[in-house]
Amino acid sequence: MTSGPVVAMVWEGHNVVKTSRAMVGETNPAEAKPGTVRGDFSVHVSRNVVHASDSVETAQREINLWFRSDELVNWDCCDHKIITAGKAMAQQGSACQPPPDVETDDCLHEYCYLFSPDILKGKVAFITGGGSGIGFRIAEILMRHSCQTVIASRNLQRVTEAAKKLSEATGQRCLPLTLDVRQPQTIMAAVDEALKEFKRIDIVVNNAAGNFLCPASALSFNGYKTVIEIDTLGTFNVSKVLYEKCLRVSFSLPKMPGRQALQVHAGTAKAAVDAMTKHLAVEWGPHRIRVNSVAPGPITGTEGVRRLAPKGAKENIFQKIPLQRAGNKTEIAHSVLYLASPLSSYVTGTTLVVDGGAWMTTENNFPALLGIGSHSAKL
């Protein structure tokens, strides 16, 4: 037993205050009875409460579920630094509170762990389009969870600069490579280089994509073809090459949902990826390979929002989403982290929609969108 309480757990729920009052004995260490739970329950963030315990053994067991060892200051007393850590955890634990993010292609200034920091220890991820946007943040979050990464795109300078940022921020190795997902030979060469460096690839994230707004009547043949080649053929090409060379890969296929006006090219491509996810899950499941996809809604700090959301109308669009906000890149990265981790060991062939409920309420106003869409797509 210890002379004072230590932070043990963050609870959430409307019954927690009632429950905690029933459990708390005398908070004065000199007067507390042996075995009672002591603590100051005045630390509330939203519906969260910091739970204190007078047993170091119990506290250590519970606190390791919530905090990294380097975030803990003193097991023997409930000092301000531990309470601050508890508050940060409680804030991030709020059901709808988004995690911190930055809109630029830079690493996060701070990060609170929800999963074990070593949940992907010993794994290697191959991420296309990992030099910017959602792909960059996916690489960062996987690396923050002890995964080494390969980020690949057509722009070698971009992924080289990104790899330097990622390694400096996370302490993990990140190999930048060049490829074109439309050209299988370049994919094979990149995968061979990655295997030479890391000896294995465990996770593949097909993140490369192309999109723009354009009515079908004005869409050029080449514009339609290009999006299909990048989004659909590119996803298949990368997946097939990795399957043939590694045979132990867990796939995540981030994609945007279809059914929106001015998006016949992207909608067709993503519908194909959705079907591909299911087919590959069935065929490759016996080889212990899981295949899943992610369908993000509007995500801040991405080229998609900059290109596809009407100027001056973003806030109005976001208010129509049930959660009344856009998502951020870290939220999508967390979704991929879940699908790539052992936590989703029985999940395959599914599309995880991460859009705040937008698909249920967002208007598909063709006349309004027509005013902002491209009237030609010359790619």
Side-chain angles (χ1 to χ4, degrees):
M1 305 292 285
T2 179
S3 60
V6 290
V7 175
M9 185 185 294
V10 176
W11 287 350
E12 183 182 28
H14 67 279
N15 291 323
V16 71
V17 176
K18 179 180 178 181
T19 303
S20 64
R21 286 173 181 166
M23 292 178 63
V24 175
E26 175 60 58
T27 57
N28 183 341
E31 299 178 18
K33 296 179 181 180
T36 59
V37 177
R38 304 192 300 270
D40 181 356
F41 285 83
S42 63
V43 182
H44 290 78
V45 180
S46 182
R47 297 183 302 151
N48 298 278
V49 61
V50 176
H51 171 206
S53 171
D54 62 355
S55 168
V56 172
E57 293 78 12
T58 300
Q60 283 182 315
R61 207 165 43 240
E62 299 293 343
I63 204 167
N64 284 334
L65 299 174
W66 297 95
F67 299 100
R68 294 177 301 167
S69 59
D70 61 352
E71 291 177 327
L72 305 176
V73 181
N74 191 336
W75 287 113
D76 294 326
C77 66
C78 190
D79 65 17
H80 292 295
K81 291 183 179 178
I82 294 181
I83 289 296
T84 299
K87 284 183 178 180
M89 193 66 227
Q91 286 176 326
Q92 186 143 332
S94 298
C96 300
Q97 181 73 22
D101 196 54
V102 292
E103 293 200 7
T104 57
D105 292 327
D106 294 293
C107 292
L108 299 170
H109 305 307
E110 59 178 345
Y111 186 73
C112 284
Y113 283 86
L114 298 177
F115 293 171
S116 170
D118 62 355
I119 196 169
L120 297 180
K121 186 175 182 180
K123 305 296 185 182
V124 178
F126 190 99
I127 305 169
T128 63
S132 62
I134 292 174
F136 179 91
R137 187 69 71 240
I138 290 172
E140 178 186 354
I141 296 303
L142 297 188
M143 291 171 72
R144 286 185 182 275
H145 289 82
S146 303
C147 185
Q148 299 180 97
T149 62
V150 178
I151 57 174
S153 77
R154 288 179 294 173
N155 190 329
L156 183 59
Q157 180 180 353
R158 174 180 289 177
V159 291
T160 299
E161 293 172 356
K164 182 178 179 181
K165 293 179 184 178
L166 291 165
S167 292
E168 289 176 351
T170 66
Q172 298 292 332
R173 293 162 65 196
C174 180
L175 176 66
L177 295 175
T178 182
L179 58 70
D180 187 332
V181 296
R182 297 169 294 183
Q183 300 176 5
Q185 292 301 323
T186 69
I187 301 169
M188 294 177 188
V191 170
D192 286 341
E193 187 67 24
L195 291 174
K196 180 179 178 181
E197 178 73 17
F198 293 113
K199 311 303 180 188
R200 61 186 295 159
I201 297 173
D202 305 278
I203 301 161
V204 174
V205 182
N206 284 291
N207 181 70
N211 200 3
F212 50 87
L213 290 178
C214 185
S217 59
L219 182 62
S220 71
F221 296 114
N222 196 51
Y224 184 88
K225 177 185 175 184
T226 299
V227 171
I228 297 295
E229 286 181 338
I230 296 174
D231 292 21
T232 304
L233 295 181
T235 294
F236 177 76
N237 292 341
V238 173
S239 300
K240 187 173 188 297
V241 170
L242 267 297
Y243 172 82
E244 291 175 343
K245 289 181 175 290
C246 299
L247 200 61
R248 59 166 178 261
V249 184
S250 174
F251 293 88
S252 297
L253 313 176
K255 70 186 192 68
M256 293 294 291
R259 307 174 306 281
Q260 183 179 338
L262 311 184
Q263 295 275 277
V264 64
H265 44 299
T268 304
K270 302 313 182 183
V273 171
D274 189 54
M276 190 189 309
T277 298
K278 294 175 173 60
H279 283 287
L280 295 184
V282 171
E283 291 192 26
W284 294 354
H287 299 292
R288 303 175 66 84
I289 297 173
R290 296 184 297 106
V291 186
N292 294 292
S293 61
V294 176
I299 304 299
T300 57
T302 63
E303 191 64 26
V305 165
R306 285 189 286 268
R307 284 191 181 190
L308 307 181
K311 292 182 179 179
K314 291 181 182 179
E315 290 306 317
N316 183 48
I317 292 175
F318 298 159
Q319 286 301 309
K320 293 177 181 178
I321 296 172
L323 293 186
Q324 299 191 327
R325 65 174 178 85
N328 67 37
K329 293 175 290 187
T330 300
E331 290 176 298
I332 302 303
H334 281 164
S335 301
V336 174
L337 172 63
Y338 163 70
L339 290 174
S341 77
L343 292 172
S344 63
S345 58
Y346 203 51
V347 179
T348 193
T350 191
T351 296
L352 178 60
V353 180
V354 189
D355 71 347
W359 73 272
M360 298 182 290
T361 59
T362 302
E363 293 182 356
N364 197 8
N365 190 329
F366 179 70
L369 288 169
L370 195 60
I372 62 165
S374 303
H375 289 282
S376 63
K378 300 177 180 178
L379 298 181

